[in-house]
């Protein structure tokens, strides 16, 4: 199987993955470190999610930029693995463009939760968007009448890791999971692609409003 065929199978998932890798390499180059790639990176400083830094100019765009940043190669590779496993399945069902928008909504929803509930903790990573994908995958399995145990176990294991591990964004993960759960039901009830697009656009507007309301403007 050649690379072109792999890319065609899931273009949005692969594009997101390549963007994550590219951002990591830029931050590693700027910081001169693979492990501490955000320590002295101007891109990392500009994109990391930190509510007090979102009060001026393009600061709110950190809610999107942060979901492409990762702290070290292990953090990045774990999220890339989950993105690859989940993304291909969801992209096959929704199509590339709609899946891309759903991914961004999950990430912004996670960012909004951090801004509201843990605003003084600098946060980075695609985990929030991935948790949203997990919730939507449960909805997809339910719609197909498939066995729900696999996606539910995946969520349970990852939530267990969230609560037990240190230096993990609890609200980023919970925010993504809640966003995905709220989005999954109407998406799976929609009978046409047009209806799915309307629901997704409304969801995007909603998470952006929630995000902006949480930003501590001076």
């Amino acid at each position: 199987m050649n690379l072109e065929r792999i890319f065609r199978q899931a273009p949005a998932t692969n594009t997101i993955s390549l963007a994550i890798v590219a951002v990591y390499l830029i931050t590693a180059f700027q910081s001169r470190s693979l492990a501490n790639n955000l320590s002295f990176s101007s891109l990392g400083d500009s994109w990391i999610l930190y509510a007090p830094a979102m009060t001026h100019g393009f600061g709110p765009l950190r809610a999107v930029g942060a979901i492409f940043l990762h702290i070290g190669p292990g953090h990045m590779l774990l999220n890339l693995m989950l993105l690859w496993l989940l993304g291909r399945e969801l992209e096959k069902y929704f199509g590339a463009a709609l899946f891309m928008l759903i991914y961004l909504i999950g990430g912004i929803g996670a960012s909004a939760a951090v801004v509201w509930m843990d605003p003084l903790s600098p946060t980075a990573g695609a985990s929030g968007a991935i948790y949203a994908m997990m919730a939507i995958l449960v909805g997809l399995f339910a719609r197909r009448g498939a066995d729900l145990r696999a996606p539910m176990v995946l969520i349970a294991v990852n939530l267990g890791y969230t609560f037990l591990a240190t230096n993990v964004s609890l609200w980023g993960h919970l925010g993504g999971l809640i966003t995905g759960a709220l989005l999954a039901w109407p998406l799976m009830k929609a009978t046409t692609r047009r209806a799915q697009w309307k629901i997704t656009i409304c969801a995007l507007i909603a998470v952006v409003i929630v995000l902006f309301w949480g930003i501590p403007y001076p």
Side-chain angles (χ1 to χ4, degrees), residues 172-190:
H173 291 182
L174 291 180
L177 189 63
I178 292 168
T179 301
L182 292 174
L183 187 55
W185 186 82
L187 277 178
M188 296 308 156
K189 286 292 184 180

Side-chain angles (χ1 to χ4, degrees), residues 16-212:
I16 294 168
S17 299
L18 289 173
I20 288 171
V21 172
V23 169
Y24 169 75
L25 291 175
I26 292 170
T27 58
F29 175 78
Q30 290 178 336
S31 64
R32 302 295 191 272
S33 173
L34 294 175
N36 299 310
N37 57 298
L38 298 186
S39 297
F40 299 99
S41 166
S42 58
L43 182 63
D45 289 341
S46 299
W47 283 16
I48 198 164
L49 182 66
Y50 183 57
M54 300 173 73
T55 57
H56 299 288
F58 296 102
L61 291 178
R62 290 173 182 263
V64 176
I67 67 178
F68 293 94
L69 285 177
H70 287 83
I71 305 168
H75 184 213
M76 179 187 67
L77 290 173
L78 176 60
N79 280 337
L80 285 176
M81 180 185 70
L82 290 170
L83 173 60
W84 178 252
L85 290 173
L86 301 170
R88 289 183 302 162
E89 188 69 25
L90 293 176
E91 186 175 349
K92 188 186 303 182
Y93 178 77
F94 288 110
L98 185 57
F99 169 75
M100 182 79 78
L101 186 56
I102 289 170
Y103 176 85
L104 292 175
I105 290 169
I108 295 170
S111 295
V114 172
V115 167
W116 273 94
M117 304 304 297
D118 198 13
L120 299 182
S121 293
T123 305
S127 303
I130 289 169
Y131 270 77
M133 291 163 56
M134 291 181 195
I136 294 171
L137 187 67
V138 171
L140 179 58
F141 271 48
R143 178 181 174 84
R144 291 173 171 173
D147 190 342
L148 297 180
R149 283 178 294 182
M152 294 300 291
V153 167
L154 181 64
I155 290 174
V157 168
N158 279 275
L159 280 179
Y161 172 77
T162 297
F163 284 104
L164 293 175
T166 58
N167 298 322
V168 172
S169 176
L170 171 63
W171 286 106
H173 291 182
L174 291 180
L177 189 63
I178 292 168
T179 301
L182 292 174
L183 187 55
W185 186 82
L187 277 178
M188 296 308 156
K189 286 292 184 180
T191 56
T192 65
R193 182 71 78 218
R194 182 182 180 89
Q196 289 176 338
W197 270 103
K198 288 181 178 179
I199 290 165
T200 307
I201 291 170
C202 288
L204 176 62
I205 294 170
V207 294
V208 169
I209 290 172
V210 171
L211 171 71
F212 272 84

